[in-house]
PDB file of all heavy atoms in Angstrom:
ATOM      1  N   ILE Q 752     -85.246 -33.441  34.944  1.00 96.00           N
ATOM      2  CA  ILE Q 752     -85.301 -34.874  35.260  1.00 96.00           C
ATOM      3  C   ILE Q 752     -84.111 -35.574  34.617  1.00 96.00           C
ATOM      4  O   ILE Q 752     -83.606 -35.156  33.572  1.00 96.00           O
ATOM      5  CB  ILE Q 752     -86.609 -35.524  34.785  1.00 96.00           C
ATOM      6  CG1 ILE Q 752     -86.784 -35.360  33.265  1.00 96.00           C
ATOM      7  CG2 ILE Q 752     -87.800 -34.990  35.550  1.00 96.00           C
ATOM      8  CD1 ILE Q 752     -87.935 -36.168  32.702  1.00 96.00           C
ATOM      9  N   VAL Q 753     -83.662 -36.632  35.286  1.00 96.00           N
ATOM     10  CA  VAL Q 753     -82.582 -37.484  34.767  1.00 96.00           C
ATOM     11  C   VAL Q 753     -83.128 -38.910  34.702  1.00 96.00           C
ATOM     12  O   VAL Q 753     -83.243 -39.585  35.723  1.00 96.00           O
ATOM     13  CB  VAL Q 753     -81.327 -37.425  35.650  1.00 96.00           C
ATOM     14  CG1 VAL Q 753     -80.266 -38.378  35.116  1.00 96.00           C
ATOM     15  CG2 VAL Q 753     -80.787 -36.004  35.715  1.00 96.00           C
ATOM     16  N   PRO Q 754     -83.517 -39.393  33.506  1.00 97.00           N
ATOM     17  CA  PRO Q 754     -84.038 -40.760  33.381  1.00 97.00           C
ATOM     18  C   PRO Q 754     -82.917 -41.775  33.183  1.00 97.00           C
ATOM     19  O   PRO Q 754     -81.971 -41.545  32.425  1.00 97.00           O
ATOM     20  CB  PRO Q 754     -84.927 -40.672  32.140  1.00 97.00           C
ATOM     21  CG  PRO Q 754     -84.355 -39.561  31.331  1.00 97.00           C
ATOM     22  CD  PRO Q 754     -83.676 -38.614  32.264  1.00 97.00           C
ATOM     23  N   VAL Q 755     -83.029 -42.899  33.881  1.00 96.00           N
ATOM     24  CA  VAL Q 755     -82.097 -44.022  33.752  1.00 96.00           C
ATOM     25  C   VAL Q 755     -82.937 -45.277  33.574  1.00 96.00           C
ATOM     26  O   VAL Q 755     -83.880 -45.505  34.352  1.00 96.00           O
ATOM     27  CB  VAL Q 755     -81.186 -44.157  34.981  1.00 96.00           C
ATOM     28  CG1 VAL Q 755     -80.285 -45.373  34.843  1.00 96.00           C
ATOM     29  CG2 VAL Q 755     -80.361 -42.897  35.185  1.00 96.00           C
ATOM     30  N   GLY Q 756     -82.646 -46.068  32.550  1.00 96.00           N
ATOM     31  CA  GLY Q 756     -83.520 -47.205  32.298  1.00 96.00           C
ATOM     32  C   GLY Q 756     -82.832 -48.419  31.719  1.00 96.00           C
ATOM     33  O   GLY Q 756     -81.673 -48.378  31.304  1.00 96.00           O
ATOM     34  N   LEU Q 757     -83.575 -49.527  31.705  1.00 96.00           N
ATOM     35  CA  LEU Q 757     -83.173 -50.792  31.097  1.00 96.00           C
ATOM     36  C   LEU Q 757     -84.312 -51.273  30.227  1.00 96.00           C
ATOM     37  O   LEU Q 757     -85.477 -50.919  30.450  1.00 96.00           O
ATOM     38  CB  LEU Q 757     -82.860 -51.845  32.166  1.00 96.00           C
ATOM     39  CG  LEU Q 757     -81.672 -51.590  33.086  1.00 96.00           C
ATOM     40  CD1 LEU Q 757     -81.641 -52.635  34.197  1.00 96.00           C
ATOM     41  CD2 LEU Q 757     -80.370 -51.628  32.296  1.00 96.00           C
ATOM     42  N   GLY Q 758     -83.995 -52.099  29.245  1.00 96.00           N
ATOM     43  CA  GLY Q 758     -85.048 -52.606  28.388  1.00 96.00           C
ATOM     44  C   GLY Q 758     -84.612 -53.804  27.570  1.00 96.00           C
ATOM     45  O   GLY Q 758     -83.430 -54.154  27.526  1.00 96.00           O
ATOM     46  N   ALA Q 759     -85.586 -54.448  26.954  1.00 94.00           N
ATOM     47  CA  ALA Q 759     -85.344 -55.581  26.051  1.00 94.00           C
ATOM     48  C   ALA Q 759     -86.171 -55.356  24.797  1.00 94.00           C
ATOM     49  O   ALA Q 759     -87.318 -54.900  24.873  1.00 94.00           O
ATOM     50  CB  ALA Q 759     -85.721 -56.900  26.718  1.00 94.00           C
ATOM     51  N   LYS Q 760     -85.567 -55.675  23.665  1.00 93.00           N
ATOM     52  CA  LYS Q 760     -86.236 -55.453  22.395  1.00 93.00           C
ATOM     53  C   LYS Q 760     -86.268 -56.765  21.619  1.00 93.00           C
ATOM     54  O   LYS Q 760     -85.284 -57.504  21.558  1.00 93.00           O
ATOM     55  CB  LYS Q 760     -85.498 -54.380  21.594  1.00 93.00           C
ATOM     56  CG  LYS Q 760     -86.292 -53.812  20.433  1.00 93.00           C
ATOM     57  CD  LYS Q 760     -85.636 -52.540  19.919  1.00 93.00           C
ATOM     58  CE  LYS Q 760     -85.738 -51.435  20.962  1.00 93.00           C
ATOM     59  NZ  LYS Q 760     -85.199 -50.157  20.458  1.00 93.00           N
ATOM     60  N   PHE Q 761     -87.435 -57.046  21.018  1.00 93.00           N
ATOM     61  CA  PHE Q 761     -87.629 -58.269  20.246  1.00 93.00           C
ATOM     62  C   PHE Q 761     -88.020 -57.881  18.818  1.00 93.00           C
ATOM     63  O   PHE Q 761     -88.919 -57.067  18.613  1.00 93.00           O
ATOM     64  CB  PHE Q 761     -88.740 -59.132  20.855  1.00 93.00           C
ATOM     65  CG  PHE Q 761     -88.515 -59.512  22.286  1.00 93.00           C
ATOM     66  CD1 PHE Q 761     -88.866 -58.646  23.314  1.00 93.00           C
ATOM     67  CD2 PHE Q 761     -87.937 -60.725  22.611  1.00 93.00           C
ATOM     68  CE1 PHE Q 761     -88.658 -58.985  24.641  1.00 93.00           C
ATOM     69  CE2 PHE Q 761     -87.728 -61.072  23.931  1.00 93.00           C
ATOM     70  CZ  PHE Q 761     -88.076 -60.214  24.955  1.00 93.00           C
ATOM     71  N   LYS Q 762     -87.343 -58.459  17.848  1.00 91.00           N
ATOM     72  CA  LYS Q 762     -87.649 -58.154  16.452  1.00 91.00           C
ATOM     73  C   LYS Q 762     -88.820 -59.008  15.990  1.00 91.00           C
ATOM     74  O   LYS Q 762     -88.719 -60.229  15.917  1.00 91.00           O
ATOM     75  CB  LYS Q 762     -86.443 -58.390  15.550  1.00 91.00           C
ATOM     76  CG  LYS Q 762     -86.675 -57.918  14.117  1.00 91.00           C
ATOM     77  CD  LYS Q 762     -85.400 -57.855  13.327  1.00 91.00           C
ATOM     78  CE  LYS Q 762     -85.083 -59.196  12.704  1.00 91.00           C
ATOM     79  NZ  LYS Q 762     -84.019 -59.121  11.712  1.00 91.00           N
ATOM     80  N   LEU Q 763     -89.955 -58.353  15.688  1.00 92.00           N
ATOM     81  CA  LEU Q 763     -91.132 -59.061  15.197  1.00 92.00           C
ATOM     82  C   LEU Q 763     -91.097 -59.226  13.683  1.00 92.00           C
ATOM     83  O   LEU Q 763     -91.601 -60.211  13.151  1.00 92.00           O
ATOM     84  CB  LEU Q 763     -92.396 -58.308  15.613  1.00 92.00           C
ATOM     85  CG  LEU Q 763     -92.579 -58.086  17.126  1.00 92.00           C
ATOM     86  CD1 LEU Q 763     -93.878 -57.343  17.390  1.00 92.00           C
ATOM     87  CD2 LEU Q 763     -92.546 -59.408  17.885  1.00 92.00           C
TER      88      LEU Q 763
END
Side-chain angles (χ1 to χ4, degrees):
I752 59 171
V753 177
V755 177
L757 295 172
K760 195 166 293 184
F761 303 84
K762 187 167 86 168
L763 302 181

